[in-house]
């Protein structure tokens, strides 16, 4: 009888956890694998919320989060910390997801030990090494030596082929974030209390058009974040509009948003939402303003237009399909595009009804089958 292959999944941020837990479930349920999990704790509280709701119990937790640590200090701790776990576990395969420092260091530590790397959400490219920063560099590093490249879309696969990645190593699977969203919306339908914490603010804004906001990108810190805050304040002045904004814990975000938006009657600045409550926000929102990558994939699955407050996106499929529109961090453009969607039913319907190009909720199963082959 063939022994199961030991596979170690490495992740450490909230977005990674959301996109990895469906795959972790699938690996754990498959007798062809001895599945283990290492979390870095690159995000702490936000990571733990996802682990709890998804019933994920890591085998190793490095707990590396420190306030305001530099990227090089974080990278050094990640590389040596994950490397020590690899020496203990000696897995046959290491799985990383996306473009975080944890993903890059997990893959690099595996490469140093000649352990094959599987890259989930491979092939995303903005074409600008500084936007998003440092994510564009992180994912290119992983892509330079991964053995399995699990591209969420054909566009991502094409980007890898342009970089001379072996076409036989590229597998178009869809994005696991859609697997996760299907899972959590089904849970909420069965257990509404999981997202009941948004009920007071939803009731407070009943009858208004709710705009959901997320913003946290490093490249937007400073002038970009200030422009986003000013745009949100101007949007809040529109008739019959309310804004729900779970504010990232980073002080570079919180300080600016609080200064501009605190005290406005139709703006709810919330603590970061756990995954069920964030899914509920997507459900009640009319549209989303974001600089997040994941929201560009999640919101269209629920028929919600996305205005992307970044200069570039590594998810051009959404823009091409019409589910998302790039607006940058220019205050006037953010406001103008929001006004257009709120004031033009045909423009809104065109984005809301556009086909979501990011998957069908079966990506994890496809990845497991490839790794078992």
């Amino acid at each position: 009888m063939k022994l199961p292959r030991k596979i170690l999944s490495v992740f450490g941020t909230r977005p990674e956890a959301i996109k990895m837990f469906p795959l972790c479930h699938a690996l754990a349920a498959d007798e062809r694998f001895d599945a283990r999990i290492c979390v870095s704790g690159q995000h702490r509280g936000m990571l733990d919320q996802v682990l709890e709701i998804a019933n994920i119990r890591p085998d190793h937790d490095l707990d590396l989060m420190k306030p305001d640590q530099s990227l090089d200090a974080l990278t050094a701790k990640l590389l040596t910390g994950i490397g020590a776990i690899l020496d203990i576990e000696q897995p046959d395969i290491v799985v990383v997801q996306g473009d975080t420092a944890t993903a890059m260091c997990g893959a690099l530590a595996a490469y140093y030990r000649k352990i094959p790397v599987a890259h989930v959400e491979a092939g995303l490219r903005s074409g600008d090494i500084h936007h998003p920063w440092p994510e564009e560099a992180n994912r290119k590093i992983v892509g330079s030596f991964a053995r399995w490249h699990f591209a969420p879309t054909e566009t991502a696969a094409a980007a890898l082929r342009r970089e001379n990645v072996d076409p036989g190593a590229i597998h178009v699977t869809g994005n696991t974030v859609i697997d996760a969203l299907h899972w959590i919306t089904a849970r909420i339908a069965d257990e509404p209390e999981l997202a009941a914490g948004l009920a007071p603010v939803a009731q407070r804004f009943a009858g208004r058009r709710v705009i959901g906001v997320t913003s946290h990108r490093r490249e937007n810190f400073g002038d970009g974040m200030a422009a986003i805050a000013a745009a949100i304040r101007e949007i809040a002045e529109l008739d019959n509009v309310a804004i729900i904004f779970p504010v990232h814990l980073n002080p570079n975000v919180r300080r600016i948003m609080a200064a501009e938006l605190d005290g406005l009657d139709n703006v709810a600045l919330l603590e970061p939402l756990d995954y069920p409550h964030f899914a509920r926000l997507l459900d009640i929102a009319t549209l989303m303003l974001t600089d997040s990558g994941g929201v560009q994939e999640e919101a269209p699955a629920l028929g919600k237009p996305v205005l992307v407050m970044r200069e570039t996106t590594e998810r051009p499929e959404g823009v091409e399909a019409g589910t998302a529109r790039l607006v940058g961090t220019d205050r006037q453009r953010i406001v103008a595009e929001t006004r257009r969607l709120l004031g033009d039913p045909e423009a809104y319907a065109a984005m809301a009804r556009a086909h979501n190009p990011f998957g069908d909720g079966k990506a994890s199963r496809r990845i497991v089958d490839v790794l078992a082959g």
Side-chain angles (χ1 to χ4, degrees):
M1 180 177 176
K2 187 177 179 181
L3 292 175
R5 304 175 82 184
K6 182 182 280 190
I7 189 162
L8 181 70
S9 297
V10 179
F11 54 95
T13 68
R14 178 182 184 273
E16 283 173 295
I18 289 170
K19 294 181 178 185
M20 282 294 285
F21 83 72
L23 179 57
C24 290
H25 287 171
L27 287 167
D30 195 308
E31 62 184 11
R32 295 172 292 183
F33 295 99
D34 174 10
R36 308 293 177 90
I37 296 170
C38 173
V39 297
S40 69
Q42 185 179 337
H43 291 171
R44 186 71 273 173
M46 293 186 288
L47 168 69
D48 291 343
Q49 290 170 356
V50 179
L51 296 178
E52 181 178 359
I53 190 65
N55 196 28
I56 297 290
R57 293 179 172 80
D59 299 283
H60 305 277
D61 188 337
L62 299 177
D63 195 24
L64 294 180
M65 182 178 179
K66 303 292 180 187
D68 291 325
Q69 62 186 330
S70 65
L71 286 174
D72 49 0
L74 173 63
T75 298
K77 285 188 278 187
L78 285 166
L79 190 59
T80 55
I82 296 169
I85 300 304
L86 294 180
D87 291 339
I88 293 169
E89 290 286 0
Q90 298 188 21
D92 299 303
I93 300 170
V94 169
V95 181
V96 299
Q97 192 283 327
D99 53 21
T100 67
T102 294
M104 186 269 287
C105 291
L108 191 58
Y111 169 74
Y112 286 161
R113 290 159 177 80
K114 297 185 178 180
I115 301 170
V117 172
H119 189 197
V120 177
E121 198 181 62
L124 275 65
R125 298 290 185 269
S126 71
D128 184 336
I129 203 69
H130 296 294
H131 289 89
W133 175 84
E135 289 84 0
E136 180 79 355
N138 287 342
R139 56 191 172 226
K140 286 174 70 71
I141 291 169
V142 178
S144 66
F145 53 75
R147 179 175 296 183
W148 296 275
H149 303 259
F150 294 114
T153 65
E154 178 54 40
T155 298
L160 291 167
R161 290 192 292 269
R162 286 195 297 273
E163 294 174 2
N164 297 316
V165 172
D166 177 6
I170 302 169
H171 307 272
V172 178
T173 61
N175 199 305
T176 57
V177 76
I178 307 302
D179 303 22
L181 189 62
H182 287 186
W183 185 90
I184 195 62
T185 51
R187 279 285 305 273
I188 294 170
D190 291 338
E191 305 172 61
E193 65 274 13
L194 289 174
L198 270 187
V201 71
Q203 184 175 9
R204 171 183 161 193
F205 295 151
R208 298 192 185 199
R209 295 171 294 178
V210 171
I211 299 173
V213 181
T214 70
S215 185
H216 70 278
R217 284 287 178 188
R218 286 177 182 265
E219 69 264 26
N220 284 344
F221 289 175
D223 292 344
M225 201 63 65
I228 290 171
I232 295 168
R233 185 179 183 92
E234 188 170 343
I235 291 166
E237 296 173 0
L238 300 175
D239 290 338
N240 200 33
V241 162
I243 293 165
I244 300 178
F245 187 170
V247 184
H248 197 276
L249 294 173
N250 193 303
N252 293 293
V253 179
R254 307 203 106 184
R255 181 174 56 251
I256 290 173
M257 296 305 167
E260 191 75 48
L261 303 172
D262 255 352
L264 297 182
D265 290 341
N266 61 336
V267 177
L269 298 179
L270 306 181
E271 292 301 308
L273 299 176
D274 65 16
Y275 189 41
H277 286 91
F278 189 74
R280 176 63 177 150
L281 172 58
L282 292 177
D283 187 43
I284 66 176
T286 299
L287 62 94
M288 293 294 299
L289 300 179
T290 189
D291 60 13
S292 165
V295 175
Q296 296 175 54
E297 301 155 343
E298 294 166 309
L302 299 179
K304 305 305 168 77
V306 183
L307 296 180
V308 184
M309 299 183 295
R310 289 163 56 177
E311 301 305 323
T312 60
T313 180
E314 63 278 42
R315 293 166 174 85
E317 301 93 335
V319 176
E320 292 163 5
T323 62
R325 181 180 292 264
L326 279 173
V327 297
T329 58
D330 180 81
R331 177 186 61 82
Q332 292 181 332
R333 188 173 181 201
I334 295 170
V335 174
E337 291 291 347
T338 301
R339 282 180 175 272
R340 185 181 70 89
L341 285 176
L342 294 177
D344 184 341
E346 290 187 6
Y348 181 90
M351 292 186 74
R353 295 173 185 167
H355 169 69
N356 182 14
F358 295 108
D360 59 3
K362 300 176 182 178
S364 297
R365 184 72 260 158
R366 295 186 182 103
I367 291 169
V368 169
D369 287 341
V370 170
L371 291 176

